[in-house]
Amino acid sequence: MKKNKLNIAISTALAASLSGFVAAPAFANEADSKDEASKIERVEVTGSRIARYEFSQPAPTITLTGEEIERAGIPDLASVLSELPAIGATATIRANSGSNSAAGSSSIDLRRLGTARTLVLVNGKRHVAGSAGSSTVDLSTIPSSLIKRVDVITGGASAIYGSDAVSGVVNIVLRDDFEGLEVKASYSNSTEGVGNRNLTTSLLAGATTSDGKGNVTFFVGKDVIDEVMARDIRNYNTDGHVPNPENTGEEDGILDRIWVKNVTSERISPNGVLLAGPYNYTFSNDGVGELMPTRDLTSSFAFGSFPDGCKYCFNPSDYENFLPQREKVTVATTFNYEVSEELNFYSDVKYVRADIAQQFQPSFRFNRDRVNIAENPFIPQATKDFFAAEGIETAFANKFFDEIGNRSADNKRETFRMVFGAKGAFELSETPFDYDVYYSNGRTENDRITQNDLIVGNYVAAIDAVIDPETGKAACRANVASAQPDGYSNPATVNRDACVPYNPFGNGLASQAAQDWVTADVQRNDTIKQRYFGGSVSFDTAEFFELPGGAVGVAVGYEKRWESSETITDELTRSGAMANAATPNTYGEYDVSETFIETSLPILADAFLAHELTLDAAYRKADYSHAGKVDSWKTGFMWSPIEGYSLRGTYGEAVRAPNIAEAFSPRSPGFGRVADPCDADNIGDQPNRAKNCAALGIPTDFQPDDAVSKRVISGGNPNLEVESSESLTVGLVMNPIDDLTFSIDYYDIEITDAIDSLSVQTVADNCVDGPDLDPTFCGQVTRDPSTLEITQVESGELNTAKLELKGIDFDLKYKLDLADFNLPGEARVNLFLSHTLEFNTYQFQNRPELISREHGELGDPELQGNFSVNYRLDDLSVTWSTRFIDRSALIDLEDTLTADGEPRGDTTEDQEHSYIGSHFTHDISARYNLDNATIEVGFRNVFDKLLPDYVSGNGSGSSLYDPWGRRVFANVTYKF
């Protein structure tokens, strides 16, 4: 029997039981399917623009329901999704804790191939970005209370949806057509005193028009996430790895780096440090001088271990933010009105405001500013006498400015988005058509203030204090002409004649006037705009011809889109007067026109060894104003030789055009960490380093200060080309018995000409890692001519990289009617496993020997899994779930060999803690439905599993883990 219009519903309803696409599919026997055939309608599913019967598509899809999202007890969608094995935690709100521009935002990274390569849709349509210069959507602007489900598709989908869908698509489907009044409240917090409180309240109201054709909804919600500092986490410590003094070299059986207590710095302090010769001289809070204790072992020039403690030492983790303080308000409304079956108007409008406070380290000065010890009036006489006896006249004055306050991010991010459209169905001749035309306009405003930054020139002038002979009081040398030597120049840059002397020797001893004169806030304003219009129409060929399996489905469409991003930096910061990077104003824009076609060919149906055989194909042509013309395509198949067993697969090429930051950002300064490859601790990591470092005049026992940020120059590249990916998925879906469905899918993604910002570390390494010094890379590395330390590294964006990812996903769902065992209720079992077979990156695709293995390292475990059991009895639902993360390396793993046959990368000898073991966490929750209310209570990490001391739990790698321990959550919903 051929598939023709709604008669096809019988066979496709059966195919639904084979798919395993959704968390809890409904199952029916053949007779029931026939009885219900007339009730089954074609719908648009994620992964296709052809209106087809749900589940009859070849792309494997992971679905998370709104109920499952609420059960996570987290009011941050990206953090919930990152617990899926297929999604990385590289850009969640916790992972972004070190970023000012992304503070408080939360994004998704499918397969850890990068947030820029994951396309996020809302109701099948694009959403304005949340971060300047990017296409990355801030998922915190999408309230969890409105989510019906989230669909995740692996593999390139640019042919269907356009650029950015290189690793896949995440489609967030929202609730609509609501009637009544619904109030929700959610609360979660640590039971162990961590203080990670989350509170969410919302109201949803909806009404249907009197004629029953229209519906309008209104939503308002607020959620609060409390700030959590690193020191609030229970595994917080100041320990770290340091070089082992007993180590004799590589492969000697002795650990190269050992884990020791209290790795801090005695050479900089909130109380100030005078650093001269062998002496690190600090001060009590009230300015009494004393020598710092002597370190036990050395980590770097700036840091060492102090097993017995160090009262005034500096510890950077004291200032690390795990979660920012975020208060977010969302107001949204939807409207739809069905004028007739041929015409249905719809709209979706929302406004979101988030106020974020995120902590960063205070400003500091390290080995930059010398003071005249004898002349400075703020240095106690006993300290002057000490240095005079040693013949020392000047010293570096190093300080962390706790007394001024943290460089906190005080951000206000506002998002406005509206979508208007019309869709419906009509007939031409005897052919039915489905259409959708739409327009969207989105805007994100991010007002960023970095508080308490240092005006460098003013500070240099302020600490160069002397006694004014006319007043007998402390004054800036800049204001005392008699104290100025020949050739003296006032270093101040702002209000130069109003210098106020600054006392850095103690804590809180500088006057408020002095603090005000040396500090200012940095202000940046981001404006991101997106607008587009488009339309699509789909139909089948039943009127003209049919294949043996039925009519051919076709969809065609067009979309025109404009994107722009602008960042305005305050004039003082742009001038270079601040310690903050002197970034210029930036602006970039582009537009793109796209046409696409998609077809679904039902080759066979209800035939011998072909219960269903369908082929899909899609093609898209895009013309970018900044990247030229590109195309992408995709093919797929669905073959069910017999009922209950299906093979599916896709193969295609996807593209990603350079985003605005990559293409248009001007070259500008910043700061970054660089581990000097010529450091004595690093020089043996590559066979060519010793020779090349010697050619630079660097001794083999060189010990630079790698702990201090270096100046970085980076920017965009207008000559970038599009990057492309080839992706393959092949899978088997089986329904061997009633109510049991499982699938296994293999995926293989290769991205070539990948746009990559060469890290400053890569630039520094490649200067000395080749057979000889590389003039290109060495020309981008600046060293101090006297100390030989790296002072500046230049980097930029290039189409140089390649990424290879292969893996297997296994999905099992089983619904068990316990009445078969004479027990009440039903049970549902879900198991999802993801095994990464290979994940390699090549920063230079033309040098395959420089492969970097990612799988098995922190953040990229080889195996992850989620398991859950849900028991339902009438209005009661109880769920137990378990999350598994495989053992992961904290060292750099490599599978390749050097030219000399030596293994690349690190071994377990390289550091004491080289792996984090397999990690299990368990959750339990109970949900009960009353007449007008639903109450849910649960515990996350019910057995209070903590991370080991040597894994922090934040940043792009370890944010994959739960750092909180046990926490409780409660959700209450009341409907009027």
Side-chain angles (χ1 to χ4, degrees):
M1 180 180 66
K2 294 181 180 180
K3 296 184 179 181
N4 188 359
K5 300 183 180 179
L6 286 180
N7 291 331
I8 199 172
I10 298 173
S11 58
T12 53
L14 292 174
S17 68
L18 309 180
S19 68
F21 284 175
V22 297
F27 301 93
N29 61 39
E30 186 173 359
D32 292 338
S33 297
K34 290 180 179 179
D35 293 339
E36 297 297 321
S38 61
K39 299 179 182 178
I40 300 175
E41 297 181 356
R42 296 181 297 174
V43 295
E44 185 172 304
V45 297
T46 301
S48 174
R49 291 183 182 270
I50 295 177
R52 62 176 73 198
Y53 303 96
E54 196 169 8
F55 314 128
S56 184
Q57 65 153 336
T61 304
I62 305 167
T63 295
L64 199 67
T65 66
E67 181 179 323
E68 291 170 314
I69 292 170
E70 287 186 352
R71 193 184 300 146
I74 307 171
D76 184 72
L77 179 58
S79 297
V80 177
L81 295 177
S82 70
E83 296 185 0
L84 292 173
I87 295 174
T90 58
T92 62
I93 186 173
R94 180 153 40 101
N96 285 332
S97 60
S99 169
N100 179 297
S101 60
S105 68
S106 201
S107 305
I108 192 170
D109 184 358
L110 182 56
R111 302 293 180 188
R112 281 183 63 91
L113 290 171
T115 57
R117 299 184 178 101
T118 302
L119 178 60
V120 174
L121 306 173
V122 177
N123 291 333
K125 294 179 173 59
R126 286 180 178 262
H127 191 286
V128 65
S131 181
S134 78
S135 59
T136 303
V137 176
D138 178 9
L139 266 63
S140 71
T141 62
I142 304 169
S144 299
S145 300
L146 285 181
I147 295 174
K148 181 185 298 183
R149 72 176 193 273
V150 178
D151 297 330
V152 181
I153 295 180
T154 292
S158 293
I160 306 296
Y161 294 113
S163 181
D164 305 327
V166 174
S167 60
V169 174
V170 176
N171 184 27
I172 301 164
V173 181
L174 303 180
R175 301 165 64 188
D176 58 5
D177 205 23
F178 178 79
E179 188 170 6
L181 183 66
E182 177 182 275
V183 178
K184 283 190 175 184
S186 301
Y187 173 86
S188 68
N189 203 350
S190 167
T191 62
E192 312 304 315
V194 174
N196 56 324
R197 180 183 70 108
N198 300 321
L199 179 62
T200 300
T201 56
S202 67
L203 180 147
L204 175 64
T208 300
T209 58
S210 58
D211 58 6
K213 293 184 177 182
N215 180 264
V216 60
T217 67
F218 174 79
F219 173 88
V220 60
K222 179 178 182 179
D223 70 59
V224 177
I225 295 177
D226 280 356
E227 177 185 78
V228 179
M229 301 297 290
R231 58 180 177 268
D232 299 326
I233 303 299
R234 285 185 290 155
N235 71 337
Y236 169 78
N237 62 82
T238 59
D239 307 342
H241 282 107
V242 301
N244 185 358
E246 298 181 5
N247 179 41
T248 61
E250 294 292 328
E251 309 303 324
D252 61 354
I254 300 173
L255 287 170
D256 297 350
R257 298 175 67 83
I258 56 176
W259 185 259
V260 297
K261 293 288 185 182
N262 295 324
V263 178
T264 56
S265 179
E266 80 280 32
R267 293 177 173 169
I268 187 171
S269 167
N271 289 47
V273 173
L274 287 174
L275 180 62
Y279 302 111
N280 302 296
Y281 201 98
T282 191
F283 302 86
S284 66
N285 289 349
D286 55 2
V288 178
E290 62 180 79
L291 285 171
M292 283 283 199
T294 301
R295 63 176 62 177
D296 181 48
L297 295 173
T298 292
S299 174
S300 67
F301 173 80
F303 288 87
S305 68
F306 298 84
D308 297 325
C310 180
K311 183 176 182 181
Y312 297 119
C313 281
F314 158 70
N315 177 32
S317 57
D318 286 342
Y319 310 93
E320 290 180 3
N321 221 150
F322 250 66
L323 283 179
Q325 178 76 26
R326 189 183 77 188
E327 295 188 6
K328 178 168 64 71
V329 175
T330 303
V331 179
T333 182
T334 66
F335 175 77
N336 65 80
Y337 190 83
E338 186 180 80
V339 178
S340 65
E341 291 184 3
E342 291 78 23
L343 180 60
N344 181 24
F345 291 108
Y346 63 89
S347 68
D348 180 0
V349 180
K350 73 172 180 181
Y351 168 80
V352 183
R353 170 170 170 161
D355 292 283
I356 301 116
Q358 181 156 295
Q359 304 299 318
F360 295 95
Q361 292 179 355
S363 294
F364 65 92
R365 296 291 288 173
F366 184 75
N367 281 13
R368 294 289 185 268
D369 312 312
R370 284 191 175 273
V371 294
N372 186 306
I373 297 174
E375 293 184 355
N376 195 294
F378 297 125
I379 298 177
Q381 189 60 47
T383 303
K384 294 181 178 181
D385 294 342
F386 172 84
F387 282 106
E390 299 296 325
I392 297 174
E393 297 180 354
T394 64
F396 284 114
N398 298 336
K399 189 173 179 69
F400 237 84
F401 295 98
D402 281 35
E403 59 201 13
I404 292 176
N406 285 0
R407 284 177 292 181
S408 302
D410 182 9
N411 294 0
K412 180 182 73 173
R413 182 178 293 114
E414 296 175 286
T415 301
F416 175 78
R417 178 178 183 258
M418 60 181 182
V419 179
F420 298 103
K423 59 184 178 181
F426 61 91
E427 284 195 5
L428 289 178
S429 184
E430 295 182 5
T431 299
F433 288 81
D434 296 313
Y435 73 92
D436 183 13
V437 292
Y438 49 86
Y439 169 80
S440 177
N441 195 320
R443 182 185 183 101
T444 298
E445 296 272 0
N446 191 9
D447 297 330
R448 299 184 277 138
I449 298 176
T450 303
Q451 300 173 333
N452 305 317
D453 200 36
L454 202 65
I455 306 173
V456 175
N458 284 23
Y459 175 73
V460 172
I463 64 167
D464 187 12
V466 296
I467 293 294
D468 187 339
E470 296 183 4
T471 65
K473 297 180 180 180
C476 301
R477 189 184 303 274
N479 296 340
V480 182
S482 61
Q484 298 170 5
D486 292 340
Y488 175 82
S489 177
N490 182 1
T493 54
V494 180
N495 296 328
R496 300 179 76 238
D497 298 329
C499 182
V500 181
Y502 194 103
N503 181 3
F505 308 114
N507 198 325
L509 300 184
S511 68
Q512 188 61 53
Q515 294 183 33
D516 292 343
W517 192 72
V518 303
T519 59
D521 292 344
V522 175
Q523 299 186 40
R524 292 186 173 93
N525 304 96
D526 305 323
T527 302
I528 308 154
K529 298 178 183 179
Q530 178 192 74
R531 58 189 175 94
Y532 58 85
F533 69 86
S536 64
V537 61
S538 62
F539 58 93
D540 64 39
T541 63
E543 181 182 355
F544 308 102
F545 70 93
E546 294 185 5
L547 298 177
V552 175
V554 179
V556 295
Y558 172 83
E559 187 171 284
K560 176 74 175 183
R561 178 163 50 94
W562 295 265
E563 303 270 2
S564 69
S565 178
E566 180 180 43
T567 298
I568 303 296
T569 303
D570 70 86
E571 184 176 355
L572 185 60
T573 302
R574 293 201 314 272
S575 73
M578 309 295 292
N580 207 286
T583 53
N585 293 337
T586 64
Y587 180 80
E589 65 178 8
Y590 68 85
D591 63 81
V592 55
S593 299
E594 299 178 282
T595 55
F596 55 87
I597 182 170
E598 181 185 358
T599 184
S600 179
L601 295 84
I603 306 299
L604 294 171
D606 298 327
F608 177 67
L609 293 182
H611 178 68
E612 177 188 356
L613 176 59
T614 301
L615 300 181
D616 285 357
Y619 174 80
R620 176 178 289 253
K621 186 77 172 180
D623 187 359
Y624 288 87
S625 61
H626 70 308
K629 296 180 179 180
V630 297
D631 52 19
S632 55
W633 55 270
K634 186 175 184 177
T635 60
F637 74 92
M638 189 81 174
W639 176 40
S640 300
I642 59 175
E643 268 190 72
Y645 297 86
S646 296
L647 286 172
R648 63 187 179 192
T650 65
Y651 181 75
E653 181 175 295
V655 296
R656 183 178 79 87
N659 62 35
I660 290 173
E662 293 165 337
F664 300 112
S665 291
R667 295 186 65 76
S668 58
F671 298 95
R673 293 288 179 87
V674 184
D676 195 325
C678 294
D679 188 312
D681 298 325
N682 305 326
I683 201 168
D685 290 351
Q686 294 289 342
N688 297 319
R689 283 187 180 177
K691 178 191 73 170
N692 289 328
C693 290
L696 292 173
I698 298 174
T700 55
D701 60 350
F702 184 50
Q703 289 285 345
D705 183 13
D706 290 344
V708 176
S709 297
K710 311 298 183 182
R711 183 177 173 87
V712 173
I713 303 293
S714 60
N717 181 355
N719 299 316
L720 288 173
E721 299 178 353
V722 298
E723 61 181 32
S724 61
S725 77
E726 293 183 1
S727 61
L728 168 71
T729 66
V730 179
L732 173 66
V733 187
M734 290 183 283
N735 178 211
I737 61 174
D738 288 344
D739 296 343
L740 171 63
T741 302
F742 65 87
S743 63
I744 183 168
D745 290 280
Y746 168 81
Y747 59 87
D748 183 341
I749 303 173
E750 179 179 277
I751 303 174
T752 55
D753 293 328
I755 300 169
D756 188 21
S757 176
L758 295 184
S759 71
V760 291
Q761 189 65 59
T762 297
V763 173
D765 289 348
N766 281 333
C767 168
V768 295
D769 283 353
D772 299 295
L773 290 174
D774 187 302
T776 300
F777 287 108
C778 290
Q780 296 174 244
V781 180
T782 303
R783 291 181 179 271
D784 186 288
S786 58
T787 67
L788 300 179
E789 290 199 13
I790 293 174
T791 57
Q792 177 175 292
V793 182
E794 297 184 47
S795 66
E797 308 277 354
L798 293 171
N799 288 100
T800 62
K802 181 171 75 170
L803 297 89
E804 296 176 338
L805 177 65
K806 300 176 183 178
I808 296 174
D809 289 340
F810 175 82
D811 194 4
L812 179 148
K813 295 175 173 59
Y814 183 42
K815 185 176 71 172
L816 181 63
D817 189 349
L818 298 180
D820 296 340
F821 303 93
N822 295 318
L823 295 173
E826 69 175 29
R828 302 185 182 195
V829 179
N830 290 345
L831 173 65
F832 187 89
L833 297 173
S834 184
H835 178 38
T836 302
L837 301 173
E838 183 179 295
F839 184 12
N840 296 319
T841 63
Y842 304 80
Q843 193 139 38
F844 303 97
Q845 59 191 5
N846 59 348
R847 295 185 65 185
E849 75 278 7
L850 297 181
I851 183 176
S852 176
R853 168 180 167 172
E854 308 292 342
H855 57 286
E857 295 183 355
L858 184 68
D860 293 297
E862 293 190 62
L863 182 64
Q864 291 187 76
N866 289 346
F867 172 78
S868 67
V869 177
N870 173 256
Y871 172 75
R872 300 187 181 192
L873 176 64
D874 299 327
D875 293 318
L876 175 66
S877 174
V878 179
T879 302
W880 178 276
S881 59
T882 297
R883 186 178 178 218
F884 167 75
I885 302 174
D886 198 9
R887 175 177 182 259
S888 299
L890 306 177
I891 55 178
D892 184 23
L893 299 178
E894 296 296 348
D895 295 327
T896 57
L897 302 178
T898 67
D900 298 327
E902 297 296 325
R904 294 183 185 273
D906 300 330
T907 68
T908 54
E909 183 184 304
D910 288 321
Q911 68 181 37
E912 183 171 345
H913 296 299
S914 52
Y915 281 86
I916 175 176
S918 298
H919 198 81
F920 286 89
T921 55
H922 306 271
D923 309 326
I924 187 171
S925 65
R927 183 185 186 99
Y928 192 80
N929 296 321
L930 301 170
D931 289 341
N932 296 315
T934 300
I935 300 173
E936 182 174 27
V937 178
F939 290 90
R940 302 294 311 273
N941 197 350
V942 66
F943 295 129
D944 197 28
K945 175 75 171 180
L946 294 179
L947 288 172
D949 292 349
Y950 49 87
V951 177
S952 67
N954 71 342
S956 62
S958 61
S959 287
L960 185 66
Y961 296 88
D962 178 352
W964 315 114
R966 185 187 301 111
R967 58 194 190 277
V968 64
F969 72 90
N971 302 318
V972 177
T973 303
Y974 191 86
K975 297 180 180 179
F976 296 89

